[in-house]
Amino acid sequence: MNDFIKNFLELLKKGPSIEVFSLWHFGYIAIILGLTLMFVLLFAKKGKDNQLKLTNIFAIIVIASYIFDFFMMPLNEGEINIDKLPFHVCTFMGVLVPFAQFNKKFAKFKDAIVTLSIVASLMYITYPGSALGGITPYSYKVTQTFLFHGCLFTWGVLNLAFGFVQLSFKKIYKPAILIVINILWAFFGSLVYSPAGTKHDWFFVRGTTYPFIPEFLMPLVVFASVFLMCIIVTSIYLGLKKAYFSKQVKEEELAVDAE
């Protein structure tokens, strides 16, 4: 069985290479955005119970795909890649998703986790560095990482679309605090698992991923860039929410006039 799985995974590695902004890359982006929009539209009028069940399913897929990957990596890569430990913003949010979704004690933090889940997944999907170049678009590594980040994105969007979470600029400080926690958590991971001279650069705080930026500035650069994306996501959410309610008001006014 072990040899069969390994041979199958090796077979998936043979073929064309997925490159940044190639048709394969755009294809994955289109699938993720398209399926997310489809679920939002299909469940828009299905009631809160069905909407909650759907959101629960995506939360389960997020954490299940993350945990399952640690069992598959030895078969696919010959070893467990410690870069997949939950010190990056994507993997950190992935671990927090089930707590935010199923534990009421995390309710006060859910809006921040949703915001960063959308931001982190969008940033990765736009430039999936660990799933580009010299690897086929249908290999396990590529499909797993797009599945994980895609479901992380969809989970966040569903929470906003169905009204389980609401964003506001009054609470924009909450994702800011979570970013700082993630930066400190990434430093801890680097200190414990990746001593100086090794390749791991969780959440890019060590500066080895972007050597043209001074190392001491990287935490500030990371915070500023991710927080800016949080502001953009919040702005888009509020803009769409305003447009939706304006449309509802107009429809209600037209219905009254028709009577």
Side-chain angles (χ1 to χ4, degrees):
M1 187 64 176
N2 179 282
D3 290 338
F4 173 79
I5 295 175
K6 285 184 176 181
N7 290 335
F8 179 70
L9 293 174
E10 286 298 319
L11 183 64
L12 293 178
K13 296 177 183 179
K14 298 177 181 179
S17 173
I18 181 172
E19 304 293 341
V20 64
F21 304 138
S22 63
L23 288 176
W24 286 104
H25 183 193
F26 280 122
Y28 272 112
I29 294 175
I31 290 172
I32 291 169
L33 297 181
L35 287 177
T36 301
L37 179 60
M38 182 190 75
F39 282 118
V40 170
L41 295 177
L42 285 176
F43 282 77
K45 298 181 180 180
K46 293 289 186 180
K48 288 297 180 183
D49 288 343
N50 289 320
Q51 292 171 350
L52 180 59
K53 288 178 182 178
L54 179 66
T55 311
N56 287 343
I57 288 172
F58 274 95
I60 292 170
I61 295 174
V62 167
I63 191 62
S65 64
Y66 179 67
I67 294 174
F68 181 71
D69 190 35
F70 283 93
F71 291 91
M72 289 298 294
M73 278 188 282
L75 298 174
N76 187 58
E77 302 176 33
E79 61 182 1
I80 291 178
N81 181 4
I82 69 167
D83 194 56
K84 291 288 190 77
L85 290 174
F87 297 109
H88 280 302
V89 62
C90 297
T91 50
F92 187 37
M93 291 307 108
V95 170
L96 292 180
V97 160
F99 294 96
Q101 187 65 26
F102 301 109
N103 192 327
K104 292 182 179 179
K105 293 181 180 179
F106 278 75
K108 64 179 68 175
F109 308 110
K110 190 175 182 180
D111 53 346
I113 296 170
V114 164
T115 303
L116 277 178
S117 293
I118 294 173
V119 167
S121 54
L122 275 177
M123 293 176 76
Y124 185 87
I125 292 167
T126 302
Y127 188 81
S130 62
L132 292 173
I135 189 168
T136 61
Y138 40 78
S139 63
Y140 167 77
K141 184 176 182 179
V142 172
T143 53
Q144 186 279 333
T145 194
F146 274 109
L147 172 67
F148 171 78
H149 290 90
C151 288
L152 184 64
F153 172 77
T154 304
W155 173 81
V157 172
L158 293 181
N159 270 287
L160 296 181
F162 298 151
F164 297 127
V165 167
Q166 297 190 26
L167 307 183
S168 70
F169 283 116
K170 290 182 180 180
K171 298 181 179 180
I172 197 69
Y173 67 91
K174 293 167 73 174
I177 292 173
L178 192 53
I179 295 169
V180 173
I181 292 173
N182 199 162
I183 289 173
L184 295 175
W185 179 236
F187 271 121
F188 173 77
S190 297
L191 186 66
V192 174
Y193 293 101
S194 188
T198 55
K199 63 181 180 179
H200 301 289
D201 186 18
W202 285 296
F203 208 13
F204 315 120
V205 295
R206 295 178 66 185
T208 57
T209 305
Y210 303 102
F212 53 88
I213 299 175
E215 183 177 349
F216 72 94
L217 283 178
M218 276 309 300
L220 293 176
V221 172
V222 168
F223 176 85
S225 58
V226 177
F227 186 57
L228 177 60
M229 284 294 298
C230 291
I231 293 174
I232 292 173
V233 167
T234 302
S235 299
I236 294 173
Y237 164 78
L238 292 174
L240 291 174
K241 183 179 178 181
K242 183 178 180 180
Y244 174 75
F245 281 115
S246 296
K247 181 181 177 182
Q248 275 195 325
V249 170
K250 288 181 180 179
E251 289 177 351
E252 290 174 0
E253 289 175 348
L254 288 174
V256 171
D257 292 340
E259 292 176 358

